[in-house]
Amino acid sequence: MTASGLSRSGNVTMHDVARVAGVSIKTVSNVINGYQYLRPETKARVEAAIDELGYQVNVAARNLRQGRTGMIALAVPELRLPYFAELADSVIQAAERSGLRVLIEQTGGRRDREVEILSGSLRHLVDGVIFSPLRLGDDDRELFDVSFPLVLLGESIFDTGVDHVTMSNVQGAAAATAHLVAIGRTRIAAVGSHPGETVGSAALRLQGYRQALEAAGLPYDPALVAPADAWHRSTGEQAVQGLLDAGVAFDAVFAFNDALAHGTLHALHAWQLSVPEQVAVVGFDDIEESAYSTPTLTSIAPGRQDIADRAVQLLVDRAAGVAPSDGAPALVVAPYELHVRQSTTPIVA
Amino acid sequence: MTASGLSRSGNVTMHDVARVAGVSIKTVSNVINGYQYLRPETKARVEAAIDELGYQVNVAARNLRQGRTGMIALAVPELRLPYFAELADSVIQAAERSGLRVLIEQTGGRRDREVEILSGSLRHLVDGVIFSPLRLGDDDRELFDVSFPLVLLGESIFDTGVDHVTMSNVQGAAAATAHLVAIGRTRIAAVGSHPGETVGSAALRLQGYRQALEAAGLPYDPALVAPADAWHRSTGEQAVQGLLDAGVAFDAVFAFNDALAHGTLHALHAWQLSVPEQVAVVGFDDIEESAYSTPTLTSIAPGRQDIADRAVQLLVDRAAGVAPSDGAPALVVAPYELHVRQSTTPIVA
DNA sequence: GTCGTTCTCTACATCGTTGCAGGACAACGA
DNA sequence: TCGTTGTCCTGCAACGATGTAGAGAACGAC
């Protein structure tokens, strides 16, 4: 239907369009790029030829010529984790508003894949990279000194000279813990720690947890802190299982993300412990699942859409050569919100 | 650290490498592409120059020259829906095994965006497209006559002359319904229908549902069929809410996907109806969430990783010019599995 | 000693687009 | 009448890589 007769438009170039329209190839280019000095008549003739031939700009050629690709990369651990899926969704939407497409790279939380992201193989493929590292830490500072626009998501601790968009890890975690304290819990388990880590979400959220305990005058009991390397439902379940098996007594759980929290709910249910009556649970991330689980999950909403918007905007600015006025890397901290749901609300109604 | 002194490798080209190594630019190209006739000495000299300058191939230039980009696009409704997130994860992994990267496009289930996917704007950007359409149907056949490698996911009904990788929608739905019948349910609600649709997952799953009812000698009651346009948790909740509000009696729900099923569980819980005792629930997709919800959800596993692998493989073959022997478009139907969990298992233990 | 083969490297054209410079012509004010 | 400015269009040279063709050396076989 579209192209005259032949619907499979072979490989039409500007050359062909120019010949059909009886103009120079450059004029075709001008029409496509909306150059202002064009007779309406010429423009119409070129557009007619474009339609007739079913011409499509060769993006590869344009990319080469312009040095820009109109694409950005988003590097995350795994889309399988709901938080990152929802984040990707938000980033894609934000990018679309800026006319950008999004290439997604999964690092699988593997260090070598994370290093590879920074290695520059994406340099000529995308205009910038939004990167949520998991395994890179304080010792890897120099890896972040890259030659392409880069925005980091997640932790904000290590100053890499790179733009950051982050969430209120410490304060959010403290708020989550304080909420548990406020409803009268005193033995609050923390699920998802990464022993030995000093930067990164796990360390920060643990820090917030400890701060809140201290502020409440509650003791910090290491036995209540359960490690979980990957923050999946399965690892959350195992971690809580471990606490229960070990006979550790607790009346609340602060899970470092919602996936862990859902694993926690699952484990508690298996042990026939009622939530929130016997054990209250709070998560972090506020994924959609948490508003529908049984019981629904109280969680810290880290401002996901906001984070995505700001990250894309930073990238666009950097790519356009706009630097923050003071020359220092930007640091954006999205505000969090505590969403209280059934997992911390004794059913009264 | 990497590049001599300067870590920000400006814009090094093969030319620069060639000059430093004292060879022709083509030899540099040969080294990079592993051409066999190279003196080890020459090769070493070039590689040293590459390291010294921190040279990275300009992918845009290579793309233009070769007409291939090493990228494929995956077009799905929304990553926010767990099924598509998990599918994207699987596709990215499969693509990686073939050395391909994945660009993700979200159609948001909007018809115009779906048409746009087929319009060809991606032609020169990727080597092929994996497309899971939601709104395009029988009337849009000619839109699928595109000039780039395309693999469709999802429904298989309308014969577009395009390769399809699909799941056993009808049989899976029938199996789900039959399972409910087998545990003694007779008033089985179906959640997620798209009234008026004749192709597409909703129509097929409804068809399977009706087949199973008929096979069991149960009447088909339209009052038990609840429409839900988008298959989200929220719409599932609303649909079931609607049934309950209308006073429709039912002892089981077959939700057309797991998100709807989780919305269903949520609604039932709010009405204090016990699952599975009063109402048994089965979903479709077998997302990870379903193995952790309370109760865990019985679901049809559509062979997601298999679907992803086959789709990528088809695309790779097509891009390489390999066509199925008979010239007809390929049709792959992944086998399904019924995963029985608590939502249909009266607790006996 | 000539021929054919195998090995190693190079020169050149080319992929399809856009930036730059400039030509031709009309309209304008001085 | 002569510049000057504005409008409309064109030609050429890039962007940075790779495919093709072929040159020159080294080798063995006749």
Side-chain angles (χ1 to χ4, degrees), chain A residues 23-24 26-27 30 35 37-39 42 64-65:
Chain A
V23 296
S24 81
K26 182 68 229 239
T27 298
N30 284 339
Y35 183 65
Y37 296 130
L38 284 172
R39 254 187 316 161
T42 313
L64 172 59
R65 185 61 238 235

Side-chain angles (χ1 to χ4, degrees), chain B residues 4 222 230 236 239 326 345:
Chain B
S4 62
D326 56 357
T345 318

Side-chain angles (χ1 to χ4, degrees), chain B residues 66-92:
Chain B
Q66 300 195 330
R68 305 186 330 100
T69 65
M71 296 186 11
I72 61 176
L74 171 68
V76 292
E78 298 179 69
L79 282 188
R80 183 168 305 242
L81 295 176
Y83 175 71
F84 290 111
E86 295 183 9
L87 178 68
D89 187 315
S90 298
V91 167
I92 291 174

Side-chain angles (χ1 to χ4, degrees), chain B:
Chain B
M1 269 313 162
T2 30
S4 62
L6 280 170
S7 59
R8 318 205 150 244
S9 53
N11 238 357
V12 189
T13 75
M14 279 194 173
H15 239 99
D16 305 317
V17 177
R19 197 178 322 122
V20 170
V23 296
S24 81
I25 176 180
K26 182 67 227 237
T27 297
V28 178
S29 169
N30 285 339
V31 169
I32 287 171
N33 295 298
Y35 184 64
Q36 57 170 332
Y37 296 129
L38 285 171
R39 257 188 312 163
E41 185 194 314
T42 313
K43 194 174 159 204
R45 218 166 56 241
V46 171
E47 277 165 349
I50 289 176
D51 283 353
E52 187 190 333
L53 299 174
Y55 170 76
Q56 302 264 150
V57 189
N58 183 323
V59 197
R62 174 183 281 174
N63 289 350
L64 172 58
R65 187 60 238 239
Q66 300 195 330
R68 305 186 330 100
T69 65
M71 296 186 11
I72 61 176
L74 171 68
V76 292
E78 298 179 69
L79 282 188
R80 183 168 305 242
L81 295 176
Y83 175 71
F84 290 111
E86 295 183 9
L87 178 68
D89 187 315
S90 298
V91 167
I92 291 174
Q93 287 187 41
E96 199 179 321
R97 265 178 255 123
S98 297
L100 297 167
R101 300 187 201 264
V102 179
L103 180 76
I104 298 197
E105 296 272 301
Q106 294 196 124
T107 62
R110 280 167 43 203
R111 198 190 137 80
D112 57 330
R113 301 272 295 122
E114 298 201 340
V115 171
E116 148 86 16
I117 295 295
L118 298 173
S119 76
S121 56
L122 290 167
R123 271 234 16 226
H124 299 280
L125 204 54
V126 297
D127 298 338
V129 177
I130 297 179
F131 181 24
S132 177
L134 216 59
R135 292 281 171 267
L136 296 182
D138 232 7
D139 301 335
D140 305 303
R141 281 210 177 84
E142 65 273 356
L143 289 179
F144 289 89
D145 184 19
V146 296
S147 57
F148 50 88
L150 175 66
V151 172
L152 295 181
L153 299 184
E155 317 73 24
S156 69
I157 282 255
F158 54 123
D159 72 308
T160 50
V162 173
D163 293 342
H164 265 89
V165 179
T166 180
M167 50 182 75
S168 313
N169 277 304
V170 179
Q171 295 160 61
T177 311
H179 171 64
L180 290 169
V181 172
I183 60 169
R185 308 303 162 121
T186 55
R187 299 272 307 158
I188 304 171
V191 172
S193 74
H194 289 169
E197 185 184 283
T198 56
V199 297
S201 308
L204 295 174
R205 293 180 191 177
L206 182 62
Q207 192 185 324
Y209 163 80
R210 296 189 65 166
Q211 279 183 11
L213 287 184
E214 194 170 349
L218 290 173
Y220 168 69
D221 180 356
L224 285 170
V225 178
D229 190 33
W231 286 356
H232 290 200
R233 299 179 185 85
S234 59
T235 53
E237 180 186 15
Q238 287 159 24
V240 171
Q241 202 90 258
L243 290 178
L244 293 167
D245 284 341
V248 178
F250 55 91
D251 54 14
V253 173
F254 168 40
F256 287 179
N257 83 350
D258 279 7
L260 292 168
H262 288 293
T264 297
L265 291 178
H266 191 65
L268 294 174
H269 186 71
W271 278 64
Q272 302 190 334
L273 289 167
S274 66
V275 177
E277 291 76 11
Q278 291 173 280
V279 180
V281 179
V282 180
F284 200 116
D285 281 349
D286 195 37
I287 60 178
E288 192 184 320
E289 179 179 349
S290 301
Y292 288 88
S293 57
T294 306
T296 55
L297 179 70
T298 295
S299 188
I300 299 290
R304 199 186 59 243
Q305 187 64 55
D306 201 33
I307 288 175
D309 290 346
R310 301 295 296 270
V312 170
Q313 193 53 51
L314 272 176
L315 220 46
V316 169
D317 289 349
R318 288 286 182 180
V322 180
S325 47
D326 56 357
L331 173 58
V332 177
V333 181
Y336 69 89
E337 279 179 25
L338 173 68
H339 287 181
V340 178
R341 300 205 183 87
Q342 294 165 355
S343 68
T344 61
T345 318
I347 296 166
V348 187

